Amino acid sequence: MSLPLTYLTIDEYLQLEQYSEVRHEYLGGQIFAMSGSSKEHNLIAGNIYSRLRSHLRGGSCSVFMADMKVRIELANQNNNIFYYPDVVVTCDSQDQDRYFLNYPCLIIEVLSPSTEVTDKREKLVNYQELESLREYVLVSQDDMKIEVYRKDSQGNWLLEMLGKDNELSLDSVGLSLTMADIYEDVLSV
């Protein structure tokens, strides 16, 4: 049996998401339902969010968790993409839309078995198209391992691998986190 693919406009997608009980990511007109996450995933994302929120409080940056979309406009493909990062920070006063960000400087994804390949390939490539993005951080939920993709002053992306004995330095917002901060109530340092 063949089923036709349904393509939505951006406006149709944004309208659908306001009332949907399931979150969907949007890639060039197609939508994909997001799976639920584990307790460990939620704890790690929450640990990072809470420390960022405390650090950024009262400043010009805002941090969001899980339900804020990031919009990527791919000019060469005439497509738009909307992702839901686990944690995202914007420091750009132009980010005034109520339901999505256009100018994030920091995006953090907590890896899970169902999303790891997408986070490490598709999202990595697409997020790097964002001019405002300075850091893309991938956090393992099963081991104390973190991958930090950081844009240098020439616009090149560099990879830093962190392990149990390292600290995560978030240069885009001037905050360092220990592994104990990140993995609190999940894994012991």
Side-chain angles (χ1 to χ4, degrees), residues 76-89:
N76 60 343
Q77 297 175 19
N78 199 22
N79 283 329
N80 281 276
I81 296 172
F82 289 87
Y83 291 129
Y84 282 96
D86 292 316
V87 180
V88 59
V89 175

Side-chain angles (χ1 to χ4, degrees), residues 82-145:
F82 289 87
Y83 291 129
Y84 282 96
D86 292 316
V87 180
V88 59
V89 175
T90 183
C91 299
D92 195 310
S93 61
Q94 296 179 81
D95 256 329
Q96 294 298 316
D97 194 280
R98 189 172 185 191
Y99 297 107
F100 59 86
L101 302 174
N102 290 296
Y103 309 102
C105 61
L106 170 64
I107 293 175
I108 300 172
E109 296 282 10
V110 179
L111 301 175
S112 55
S114 63
T115 66
E116 185 168 357
V117 171
T118 301
D119 291 340
K120 287 186 170 191
R121 292 183 186 170
E122 174 192 312
K123 288 185 179 183
L124 171 64
V125 169
N126 289 329
Y127 281 144
Q128 288 176 336
E129 294 293 319
L130 292 165
E131 184 63 33
S132 62
L133 190 65
R134 298 291 170 249
E135 293 169 309
Y136 178 50
V137 180
L138 299 172
V139 181
S140 171
Q141 68 174 312
D142 300 319
D143 298 303
M144 289 189 186
K145 294 190 316 191

Side-chain angles (χ1 to χ4, degrees), residues 46-59 63 175:
N47 290 341
I48 295 168
Y49 170 84
S50 65
R51 282 160 177 83
L52 278 165
R53 177 78 176 116
S54 293
H55 176 71
L56 298 174
R57 184 173 276 123
V63 60
L175 176 66

